[in-house]
Amino acid sequence: MQTPRTTPSRSAKRAHYEAETIYSILDEALYCTISYAIDGQPGSIPTAYARVGNRLLIHGSVGSHFIREVEKGIPVCISVTLLDGLVLAKSGFSHSVNYRSVIIFATAEKVEDYDQKVEALMLITNKLIPERWVDLRKETESEIRKTTVLSFSLDEASAKIRTGGPNDEPEDRELPIWSGVIPLETVRRAAIPDESSVALPLPPYL
Amino acid sequence: MQTPRTTPSRSAKRAHYEAETIYSILDEALYCTISYAIDGQPGSIPTAYARVGNRLLIHGSVGSHFIREVEKGIPVCISVTLLDGLVLAKSGFSHSVNYRSVIIFATAEKVEDYDQKVEALMLITNKLIPERWVDLRKETESEIRKTTVLSFSLDEASAKIRTGGPNDEPEDRELPIWSGVIPLETVRRAAIPDESSVALPLPPYL
């Protein structure tokens, strides 16, 4: 949703507010960085998450200082970035990067219901490794009790996207300097089994 | 340096304070996320950077709201994260990720000297594409005037690192559930030339 604080001061034409665009970035990225401030001092933490409908879910230890502050409902800013490429121009000034990013302004709601907490942990696990949860040893009540789950609305989320090649100044375009894009990609390498699992078949989702 | 705010509340054994460890993470990552707060409202921005000695350099437009706030010297928290792998355990609770992250608490110093600004922009460009700067059309005074360069001390920086396989509970270790690590890596794909550069040779550093 476009609000004063989701409207960028620079490159406003790169801003996007459609839920579909925001969701696709959130569903592809593997972690978010959550920023908060205590007495004017900013702090930030990278953490795993999942998106379900118009909400973002995170989890953490009940003993985490960060979780205990954020669960009070203080304002947070959640940042997700996918770096898609390096954009090489003919001048340093016109160098850029291709990226898809999301910024969310929100406050936490604590998920108290036991079954909803388990579902959130399943979603966070399956986001990193699709279909993983069904294979796992069942969660215990103690594990769920030791874990806090927080939920954030995506109502005040916005995306910013840059794609394409360099935008050199017209007077630079004929210079004999190579310009173009180096695409970047995050890849998953071959699975390395734990010593307890060397004799076990690799699950199909890996 | 270990200070109260660089001491994590969780997994303190994963914390590292040696400059060499912190520098190697900063030199490998491609962007940082800078968090700040204005009247208690946190905001954050992903941006390129370079490290030189014990300082981190960023740049931005003189018209950027973010840059204009941060250059006042308000406290910021800078977060850098390298996600190295997904750690699959036999229980959901023991799932984890391998990562190397850095958190920096600092305030900006504005780089005003012309030559130092140009050098900072060279370092930021060459961090993304080693050896690039020497090939480029020379910067103009107007370009340097339109760009703000900010410098941050790394005195109050800390790293947090997780490596290795899953840490399952002893009673879970014999369960016939595949466990191990999926390594993650950011790779550079083949360069895509701009239409102005299809006839030009690819530079050796690409």
Side-chain angles (χ1 to χ4, degrees):
Chain A
M1 186 166 66
Q2 185 161 10
T3 67
R5 59 186 179 180
T6 64
T7 303
S9 69
R10 304 299 301 169
S11 306
K13 67 182 189 301
R14 294 183 188 162
H16 297 262
Y17 301 97
E18 320 78 51
E20 209 176 319
T21 305
I22 292 164
Y23 294 171
S24 75
I25 297 168
L26 295 177
D27 293 350
E28 182 173 334
L30 296 176
Y31 69 92
C32 64
T33 300
I34 304 198
S35 305
Y36 55 99
I38 298 172
D39 297 333
Q41 171 61 56
S44 64
I45 297 263
T47 193
Y49 68 92
R51 179 190 69 82
V52 55
N54 199 46
R55 300 196 74 86
L56 192 101
L57 302 166
I58 68 163
H59 77 306
S61 164
V62 293
S64 152
H65 174 68
F66 153 69
I67 289 283
R68 286 157 76 148
E69 289 295 329
V70 170
E71 75 178 44
K72 292 175 185 167
I74 60 175
V76 303
C77 176
I78 304 175
S79 172
V80 166
T81 307
L82 294 167
L83 197 56
D84 291 326
L86 306 175
V87 181
L88 283 66
K90 294 170 196 276
S91 67
F93 193 75
S94 291
H95 273 62
S96 189
V97 294
N98 283 335
Y99 63 89
R100 289 167 290 153
S101 67
V102 168
I103 294 284
I104 303 156
F105 294 102
T107 55
E109 285 177 30
K110 194 168 174 177
V111 177
E112 306 275 12
D113 179 78
Y114 187 89
D115 293 337
Q116 282 182 17
K117 282 177 75 175
V118 174
E119 199 197 349
L121 299 172
M122 176 195 74
L123 291 167
I124 293 168
T125 305
N126 283 349
K127 178 179 200 307
L128 293 173
I129 312 114
E131 304 179 60
R132 178 67 176 164
W133 190 260
V134 71
D135 279 358
L136 299 177
R137 187 263 288 145
K138 187 174 162 57
E139 70 284 353
T140 68
E141 278 188 39
S142 157
E143 287 170 344
I144 302 305
R145 222 172 26 235
K146 286 185 217 163
T147 305
T148 298
V149 173
L150 301 178
S151 164
F152 301 89
S153 165
L154 297 176
D155 278 350
E156 203 167 348
S158 61
K160 212 169 166 191
I161 299 175
R162 190 203 188 279
T163 57
N167 296 321
D168 271 303
E169 297 299 325
E171 63 270 27
D172 289 336
R173 286 190 51 84
E174 298 310 312
L175 294 172
I177 298 169
W178 191 93
S179 60
V181 174
I182 315 292
L184 299 174
E185 203 179 324
T186 299
V187 296
R188 297 177 184 223
R189 298 294 188 198
I192 301 167
D194 182 63
E195 61 181 72
S196 68
S197 298
V198 286
L200 297 175
L202 203 63
Y205 48 81
L206 300 179
Chain B
M1 186 166 68
Q2 185 161 11
T3 67
R5 59 186 179 179
T6 65
T7 303
S9 70
R10 305 299 302 168
S11 306
K13 66 181 190 301
R14 293 184 189 162
H16 298 262
Y17 300 96
E18 318 80 51
E20 210 175 319
T21 305
I22 292 165
Y23 294 170
S24 74
I25 297 168
L26 294 178
D27 293 351
E28 182 173 334
L30 297 176
Y31 70 91
C32 64
T33 301
I34 303 198
S35 305
Y36 56 98
I38 297 171
D39 298 333
Q41 171 61 56
S44 63
I45 297 263
T47 193
Y49 68 93
R51 179 190 70 82
V52 56
N54 199 46
R55 301 196 72 87
L56 192 101
L57 302 166
I58 68 163
H59 77 305
S61 165
V62 293
S64 152
H65 173 69
F66 153 70
I67 289 283
R68 287 158 76 149
E69 290 295 329
V70 170
E71 75 177 44
K72 292 176 186 168
I74 59 174
V76 303
C77 177
I78 304 176
S79 172
V80 167
T81 307
L82 294 167
L83 196 57
D84 292 326
L86 307 175
V87 181
L88 284 65
K90 293 170 196 277
S91 66
F93 193 75
S94 292
H95 272 63
S96 189
V97 295
N98 284 336
Y99 62 90
R100 289 167 290 152
S101 66
V102 168
I103 294 285
I104 303 156
F105 295 103
T107 54
E109 285 177 30
K110 195 169 172 177
V111 177
E112 306 275 11
D113 179 78
Y114 187 89
D115 293 337
Q116 283 182 18
K117 281 178 76 175
V118 174
E119 200 198 349
L121 300 172
M122 177 196 73
L123 291 167
I124 293 168
T125 305
N126 282 350
K127 179 181 201 303
L128 292 173
I129 312 115
E131 305 178 60
R132 178 67 176 164
W133 191 261
V134 72
D135 280 358
L136 299 178
R137 188 263 289 146
K138 188 172 161 59
E139 70 283 353
T140 67
E141 279 188 40
S142 156
E143 288 170 345
I144 302 305
R145 225 174 21 238
K146 286 186 217 161
T147 306
T148 298
V149 173
L150 301 178
S151 163
F152 302 89
S153 164
L154 297 176
D155 278 351
E156 202 166 347
S158 62
K160 211 169 166 190
I161 299 176
R162 189 200 189 281
T163 57
N167 297 320
D168 270 303
E169 297 298 324
E171 63 270 27
D172 289 337
R173 285 190 51 83
E174 299 310 312
L175 294 173
I177 298 168
W178 192 93
S179 60
V181 173
I182 315 293
L184 298 174
E185 204 179 325
T186 300
V187 296
R188 296 175 184 224
R189 298 295 188 199
I192 302 167
D194 182 62
E195 61 182 73
S196 67
S197 299
V198 286
L200 297 174
L202 203 63
Y205 48 80
L206 299 180

